[in-house]
Amino acid sequence: QEDQEARTPIYLSTLFTLDSPEPWYTIAYVGREIALSQVVRPRASSLYNIKLDGTETRRLTYTPNHSFDPIQMSDGRLVYAAERYPLEPDPRPGRVRLFAVHIEGADAELYAGDAGCRIQHMPCSTASGLVVFVESEQLTPDGAGQLACVTESRPHVTYKRLTENPAWLYLHPSPLRGSRVLVSRRPADGHGTCGIFSFDCEGLSCEPVFDSLEHHDVQAKLVLPRSRPDGHSTVVDTKAESGVFYGLNCYDADDLMRPHLTKGSVKSVRFIEGVLQSAAGMASSISAGPAVARRLIGEAPVEADGSFNVEVPASTPILLQTLDERGLALATCGWIWVQPKETRGCIGCHEDPELAPENTYVFALRRPSNRLTLPPDKRRTVTFRDDVAPILRNQCALADCHGGSDIPLRIPLSAHEPSIEDILAAYDAILAPADGSGNSLGSLPRRGKYVDAGRARTSWFVWQLMGADVSRPWDRHSPRPLSVRRKVSSMPPLSKGIALDDRQIRTIVQWIDLGATFAPAASAASSSTSPGEVK
């Protein structure tokens, strides 16, 4: 591709449709998007594939972060490493995990679960059915770490650490024979060079193969014929513009949420588009908001049995949120996507990945899909400047309310037409961080004094508008528990101003749940790759 930086190419097995005259071969590679990533780096990378004659480029993954290190498994799927960052306020740093996807980009899933170290990459697949990878808690300059593995048959529950000696670090495992891999090893103290070793994943022995004292020896590959991975039949049609997401039961959730979800408590699902921004389009002020802005694709009902069935735009980074009767997001799932004409389903909301779906004809599949397929220029943004500031100016920024100068939260919007500087000042005041360290938007979302960007249900600003603490039990038992309980009183106080109506409150809730963006995003130019790195 002349207009794209392409790296890490691998040959793939055959791809075909039901009416293909014959199967065709493709190459997968890592390609770069010229856009800000979720943590404000001026690049993000995705997996692509392309026919051997250079035609029919397809993008396989759609996230605003790095996807890299692809390999093809014997079953035909790609396993790759990808960055993941919190989408709700959370003090934990990002992670690099292993994911799997078919060679045309359908049915992406977390592959090896969440066990093990924070960073997991450089996977390889052995003839004995192991997926071996490098892992570490902190990223080293060359990516070296310890070796770990999972089995291909049950990757979510078979994590095993293979090396433990802190004196040595490993990188670039590749299959040798049986359960053995070729791997580079170097001293952890930085002295000496990398050598090539044969590592036995069952006996845990490490034997030298080649080690030059003058050079680093890395990325060794066995030059022998290999078994051809399975081919893949696809329904993906690159001419289509949409695909379908369906869920069988929103109430089948993770262990924290499941005990507190009752039938009828989930009313709808919200689909949100992630809008990549170019570095040039991102304002220099921290007040510009998240680097990956969010645009509302739409909301669709959840049936009485917890199922939903929605047609959405294809080839688009998407967040999915389940909503209660007040429109508050109960949980956020992302980043996900659907390929053109793909039908993609899930059992529940962060359900046990080893569960098989029940043999039930759910309500949502007994009718046509809800269509949320507006073109990009018709999808609604909910921003502070255009949607929230006018509400606050008319009903909150009064002289005897938050327009005064002697109150903790001053909203300087009392003028008939407030200046952009006043609107920015109001935005910064409302988005003030809890620890006084400066606005954290544009990086990982963190707790704020008044607003938790990305999570309205724990935002004190929303509690005051609704007159109640609307957080959920799982918020108090998550890795990021709520801070000290805060007094809640209805706003505005009696005899001061007019209370916001349901529509206005819902607009503010949507604004926060969509990331609390200041203004509409400047979209990035697409595409062009670099290997991943995690904050």
Side-chain angles (χ1 to χ4, degrees):
Q1 291 295 98
E2 293 182 359
D3 61 344
Q4 186 180 71
E5 183 182 339
R7 298 186 182 184
T8 325
I10 60 172
Y11 283 109
L12 302 180
S13 56
T14 54
L15 180 65
F16 53 93
T17 62
L18 294 180
D19 58 355
S20 298
E22 59 183 28
W24 63 90
Y25 290 93
T26 62
I27 292 173
Y29 65 91
V30 179
R32 179 197 282 187
E33 285 73 56
I34 303 301
L36 290 174
S37 72
Q38 186 179 339
V39 289
V40 204
R41 293 196 183 97
R43 63 190 187 278
S45 60
S46 302
L47 301 189
Y48 290 78
N49 76 4
I50 188 170
K51 285 186 173 182
L52 299 186
D53 62 3
T55 62
E56 237 183 89
T57 303
R58 299 171 184 239
R59 183 171 167 181
L60 306 183
T61 61
Y62 289 87
T63 77
N65 295 305
H66 291 298
S67 297
F68 56 103
D69 286 356
I71 64 168
Q72 187 170 30
M73 308 286 288
S74 59
D75 66 6
R77 290 187 299 169
L78 297 179
V79 169
Y80 63 99
E83 293 177 332
R84 298 175 70 190
Y85 294 98
L87 293 162
E88 294 185 357
D90 194 317
R92 295 172 298 180
R95 306 185 77 180
V96 172
R97 311 313 277 170
L98 298 184
F99 290 79
V101 69
H102 285 300
I103 61 177
E104 89 289 35
D107 296 320
E109 64 172 348
L110 180 65
Y111 183 74
D114 283 320
C117 293
R118 186 172 74 91
I119 298 169
Q120 297 177 339
H121 59 157
M122 301 183 189
C124 79
S125 175
T126 72
S128 63
L130 296 178
V131 175
V132 181
F133 51 90
V134 174
E135 67 171 11
S136 61
E137 285 299 330
Q138 300 296 328
L139 188 66
T140 59
D142 60 0
Q146 299 297 323
L147 295 179
C149 71
V150 296
T151 66
E152 291 184 29
S153 57
R154 299 187 69 195
H156 291 280
V157 295
T158 54
Y159 166 83
K160 178 183 177 182
R161 191 79 177 263
L162 296 175
T163 61
E164 299 281 357
N165 188 343
W168 299 102
L169 295 178
Y170 301 82
L171 60 162
H172 301 299
S174 66
L176 187 54
R177 293 182 180 88
S179 62
R180 284 188 172 272
V181 296
L182 286 171
V183 65
S184 296
R185 190 181 78 171
R186 66 169 175 83
D189 62 8
H191 297 92
T193 59
C194 289
I196 304 298
F197 290 78
S198 169
F199 185 86
D200 184 353
C201 299
E202 293 182 356
L204 306 184
S205 62
C206 192
E207 301 172 359
V209 174
F210 176 78
D211 190 0
S212 167
L213 298 181
E214 299 178 356
H215 306 284
H216 288 293
D217 311 308
V218 294
Q219 293 182 298
K221 303 286 184 182
L222 181 66
V223 183
L224 277 179
R226 65 176 179 130
S227 299
R228 180 183 297 172
D230 292 343
H232 179 62
S233 173
T234 181
V235 298
V236 170
D237 180 354
T238 55
K239 298 182 180 65
E241 296 181 349
S242 63
V244 172
F245 275 115
Y246 70 86
L248 300 182
N249 184 0
C250 289
Y251 302 103
D252 192 349
D254 62 28
D255 291 339
L256 283 176
M257 294 179 65
R258 189 182 302 111
H260 308 289
L261 289 175
T262 57
K263 285 295 177 72
S265 60
V266 181
K267 298 297 185 183
S268 57
V269 289
R270 176 188 292 146
F271 289 85
I272 302 167
E273 173 193 8
V275 183
L276 297 180
Q277 299 182 73
S278 66
M282 184 71 174
S284 58
S285 169
I286 194 71
S287 296
V292 180
R294 303 176 186 180
R295 190 158 52 192
L296 187 64
I297 294 174
E299 297 177 5
V302 168
E303 305 291 344
D305 61 354
S307 62
F308 62 87
N309 177 12
V310 187
E311 183 181 351
V312 297
S315 307
T316 302
I318 287 176
L319 302 178
L320 187 154
Q321 295 177 333
T322 49
L323 310 181
D324 67 9
E325 71 279 358
R326 291 164 290 196
L328 291 160
L330 299 172
T332 301
C333 167
W335 296 90
I336 55 177
W337 64 89
V338 63
Q339 293 286 0
K341 204 181 175 183
E342 178 189 0
T343 297
R344 183 173 175 184
C346 60
I347 297 172
C349 183
H350 304 282
E351 76 282 352
D352 182 341
E354 287 213 317
L355 285 178
E358 296 183 9
N359 188 17
T360 304
Y361 189 29
V362 297
F363 296 159
L365 297 181
R366 303 180 191 184
R367 55 161 182 75
S369 303
N370 290 102
R371 298 190 73 237
L372 302 177
T373 55
L374 288 174
D377 61 342
K378 300 294 184 183
R379 296 171 201 161
R380 187 163 66 92
T381 59
V382 184
T383 69
F384 185 83
R385 186 192 69 188
D386 298 339
D387 300 280
V388 175
I391 296 173
L392 302 182
R393 177 175 62 82
N394 291 332
Q395 296 186 242
C396 302
L398 307 177
D400 60 347
C401 195
H402 288 279
S405 58
D406 57 347
I407 58 172
L409 175 57
R410 180 173 180 271
I411 303 175
L413 299 174
S414 56
H416 175 64
E417 292 186 3
S419 67
I420 189 64
E421 289 77 13
D422 285 341
I423 298 174
L424 282 167
Y427 179 78
D428 281 340
I430 292 172
L431 270 292
D435 59 5
S437 62
N439 200 323
S440 65
L441 285 182
S443 185
L444 301 184
R446 294 180 174 87
R447 176 163 296 283
K449 288 183 182 179
Y450 309 105
V451 165
D452 296 341
R455 194 170 66 196
R457 68 180 185 276
T458 61
S459 297
W460 191 49
F461 192 72
V462 172
W463 294 4
Q464 297 289 86
L465 293 177
M466 292 187 169
D469 175 349
V470 292
S471 64
R472 295 290 177 155
W474 53 87
D475 296 318
R476 290 182 280 276
H477 298 288
S478 68
R480 178 54 162 126
L482 294 177
S483 54
V484 177
R485 311 309 299 169
R486 304 178 74 173
K487 180 181 178 181
V488 180
S489 55
S490 295
M491 286 288 160
L494 293 176
S495 76
K496 283 192 176 182
I498 302 172
L500 274 63
D501 61 33
D502 290 344
R503 180 186 59 80
Q504 292 169 321
I505 294 175
R506 193 175 183 95
T507 295
I508 292 173
V509 165
Q510 284 184 335
W511 168 65
I512 298 173
D513 278 339
L514 266 65
T517 301
F518 176 74
S523 297
S526 58
S527 56
S528 178
T529 310
S530 60
E533 55 181 321
V534 69
K535 185 175 180 180

